[in-house]
């Protein structure tokens, strides 16, 4: 955003400076399919996992087959597709895949796991470091920013992006009503 907006007249220099200080980090999602001999260990389609940055990098796992709203009987669905999410993942693709397969076997008793796909988004989120100053909504009197990186009560989340989008829309509506 700062590179695109720097050429526009009237964009607040402080906004550009704050946006330029944001550092980004990757999120890796490893999709596995395997056998869960005892079934899914919870009622909800998401579980928090015990993580370690190298040996168990995923913090969460999502039961993809249950997220579609269809609750298959366990005997018919013992080889679900699971999505393991590793935030701030610094491992290479092969390393994260091997570590997640081992983590899934150890923590969920997932057997005969097959890696279906791995997505590593290198600039998925900004680093939420202590003292971080995120840019605000107002770029100029008539230009508003929205996104997960905008100052607000949430870290880099979909909820934060949606809230900033709603605030940007409210600001635009108020500007249209103003004389």
């Amino acid at each position: 955003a700062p590179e695109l907006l720097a050429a526009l007249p009237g964009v607040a220099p402080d906004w550009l400076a704050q946006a330029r200080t944001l550092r980004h980090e990757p999120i890796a999602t490893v999709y596995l399919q395997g056998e869960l001999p005892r079934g899914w260990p919870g009622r909800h389609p998401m579980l928090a996992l015990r993580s370690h940055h190298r040996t168990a990098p995923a913090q969460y796992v999502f039961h993809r087959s249950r997220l579609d709203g269809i609750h298959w009987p366990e005997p018919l669905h013992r080889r679900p597709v699971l999505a393991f999410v590793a935030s701030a993942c610094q491992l290479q693709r092969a390393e994260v895949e091997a570590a997640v397969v081992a983590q899934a076997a150890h923590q969920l008793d997932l057997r005969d796991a097959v890696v279906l796909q791995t997505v590593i988004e290198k600039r998925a989120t900004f680093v939420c470091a202590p003292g971080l100053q995120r840019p605000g909504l107002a770029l100029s009197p008539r230009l508003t920013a929205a996104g997960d990186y905008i100052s607000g009560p949430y870290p880099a989340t979909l909820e934060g992006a949606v809230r900033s989008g709603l605030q940007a829309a409210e600001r635009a509506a108020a500007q249209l009503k103003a004389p």
Side-chain angles (χ1 to χ4, degrees):
E3 288 74 27
L4 293 172
L5 297 168
L8 292 178
V11 174
D14 289 349
W15 192 96
L16 293 171
Q18 285 181 332
R20 285 185 177 119
T21 65
L22 296 176
R23 294 176 302 140
H24 293 85
E25 62 188 359
I27 295 177
T29 305
V30 179
Y31 296 89
L32 298 181
Q33 187 170 30
E35 182 182 349
L36 288 173
R38 294 182 295 225
W40 181 248
R43 291 188 0 227
H44 304 286
M46 180 187 108
L47 294 174
L49 300 171
R50 293 176 309 280
S51 66
H52 179 273
H53 68 283
R54 294 208 62 79
T55 59
Q59 294 90 14
Y60 299 96
V61 59
F62 295 85
H63 191 303
R64 295 289 303 163
S65 305
R66 287 199 176 169
L67 288 173
D68 63 10
I70 300 170
H71 295 282
W72 298 94
E74 281 302 326
L76 298 176
H77 206 278
R78 295 226 183 233
R79 292 193 57 80
V81 174
L82 306 177
F84 290 80
V85 179
S87 297
C89 183
Q90 300 300 323
L91 301 173
Q92 297 299 314
R93 181 178 307 277
E95 293 173 309
V96 72
E97 288 174 351
V100 166
V101 167
Q103 181 181 14
H106 177 72
Q107 293 184 22
L108 298 177
D109 193 28
L110 186 69
R111 298 179 187 172
D112 301 321
V114 174
V115 176
L116 300 176
Q117 180 181 19
T118 300
V119 177
I120 300 174
E121 179 59 45
K122 294 182 189 243
R123 293 178 50 89
T125 186
F126 63 86
V127 177
C128 292
L132 175 69
Q133 296 293 313
R134 292 161 44 192
L137 286 169
L139 291 156
S140 70
R142 299 196 52 85
L143 185 60
T144 304
D148 66 350
Y149 63 96
I150 299 301
S151 183
Y154 292 104
T157 60
L158 291 174
E159 292 83 359
V162 168
R163 284 182 71 130
S164 74
L166 292 172
Q167 289 173 327
E170 289 169 2
R171 184 173 189 251
Q175 288 173 346
L176 288 173
K177 291 180 184 176

